Amino acid sequence: MDADERTLVADYVSRRDEASFHRLYERCSPRLYMLALRLAGGRVADAEDILQEAWIRACQGIASFRGDSKLQTWLSGILINCWRERLRAAGIELPLDQASDEPVSVPADGALESLVNALPARCREVLILHDLEGYTHEEIGRALNIAPGTSKHQLFRARQLLRGWLGDARGVTHV
Amino acid sequence: MSSDDDKPDAELVAFYHRLPREAPPPAAHETRVAAALRSRGLLTKPAYRSLPLLARIAAAIALFVSGFAVHALTSTPTTPLDPRYVLFVENGPTYRPASSPAEAKRRVGEYGDWARRLRAKGVAISGLKLKPGEKGDAVSGVFMVDVPDRSAAEAIAAGSPHWRYGGTIVVREVEKL
């Protein structure tokens, strides 16, 4: 955690007022919300809910945050847990290993974000955490309660799909 | 990108670089989160603090000393108000200004409605909206209340819609001359 982040956290912990929370929220929410949107496959209402829950959990535990990781990283971990719990509460358990020949619709609008949102849910989770958020397969395994090998397989599939769609957009066929 | 050996190829890296890294949450989201935190005791009540002396407010206070009540934010005439407390509506560094003249007008109406609802409940309250001041003057309006003690004045201030926009309210007691 850098000096600015330490100041923000210490300020909120000591004051617990709207101004200090606002500074934390303003600094960290844009990246968190982007992560929430991607995990939720672009569903705004779901993303807002898990972001709100993440902030509540963070403010509950922030006094004991030791700062041994970046603040954003710590918050992202909380948000991912909120996402996983939301799925469990809804009775949704993503298959550990979706069939590799399962048909996947190519996003029609071609917008970059749509390509990520169109990935099968488990592939999308792993790709977001590994390639976009920088988690290792071991860390993903702990976060999603899957084996690192499963994480690698899902990542391989996600990348394969993305390359295919990107190639289609350019008129290139990947073999 | 990932810190382990399983790195994406150049094509995917180029794709990832084109993806946005951030997205601002919807405008009302922070307000909802703050309300949720407050309900769990994770956010204190609005802070009250002293303001430096404001020459622009002196004229407004003088109106009350003379027994004349101005109802710029309400339309229902009442008997002259003898306020014991003044609530300074302050736009500080966290204040989120209205995004358009229509939004500004809507907010003025919202503040007036808030005051009218209090009056309907028997609270002696009146308000003034101030013109934009000199550079650095952050007070946009005042409410005057005739309530028995500071805690009552602070309770009224805590319900002001100004907090939703990131502003603050400062409560000062009127000195009877």
Side-chain angles (χ1 to χ4, degrees), chain B residues 47-70:
Chain B
Y48 301 104
R49 55 188 168 82
S50 298
L51 269 181
L53 183 63
L54 302 167
R56 287 182 176 275
I57 305 304
I61 301 301
L63 290 172
F64 293 97
V65 170
S66 67
F68 177 70
V70 177

Side-chain angles (χ1 to χ4, degrees), chain B residues 42-104:
Chain B
L42 296 169
L43 214 57
T44 57
K45 281 165 49 175
Y48 301 104
R49 55 188 168 82
S50 298
L51 269 181
L53 183 63
L54 302 167
R56 287 182 176 275
I57 305 304
I61 301 301
L63 290 172
F64 293 97
V65 170
S66 67
F68 177 70
V70 177
H71 302 283
L73 292 174
T74 64
S75 58
T76 306
T78 65
T79 55
L81 185 66
D82 182 21
R84 300 186 196 189
Y85 295 91
V86 178
L87 281 49
F88 293 98
V89 180
E90 186 185 70
N91 304 341
T94 59
Y95 178 67
R96 294 184 294 279
S99 55
S100 64
E103 169 63 13

Side-chain angles (χ1 to χ4, degrees), chain A residues 123-142:
Chain A
C123 294
R124 184 177 69 244
E125 277 188 330
V126 173
L127 181 122
I128 290 167
L129 294 180
H130 188 276
D131 283 0
L132 301 184
E133 296 294 320
Y135 282 53
T136 64
H137 288 297
E138 285 67 33
E139 290 168 336
I140 293 170
R142 286 193 292 273

Side-chain angles (χ1 to χ4, degrees), chain A residues 28-39 70-80 113 116 124-137 139-140 143 155 159, chain B residues 1-4 8 16 19-23:
Chain A
C28 301
S29 282
R31 281 206 63 180
L32 286 176
Y33 185 61
M34 190 77 254
L35 174 60
L37 268 178
R38 288 189 173 132
L39 289 172
K70 288 185 180 178
L71 178 61
Q72 195 78 45
T73 304
W74 182 69
L75 291 168
S76 295
I78 293 174
L79 187 137
I80 291 164
E113 205 59 45
V116 176
R124 184 177 69 244
E125 277 188 330
V126 173
L127 181 122
I128 290 167
L129 294 180
H130 188 276
D131 283 0
L132 301 184
E133 296 294 320
Y135 282 53
T136 64
H137 288 297
E139 290 168 336
I140 293 170
L155 180 64
R159 286 173 172 175
Chain B
M1 299 296 142
S2 173
S3 57
D4 65 18
Y16 296 150
L19 291 173
R21 298 188 70 79
E22 300 181 347

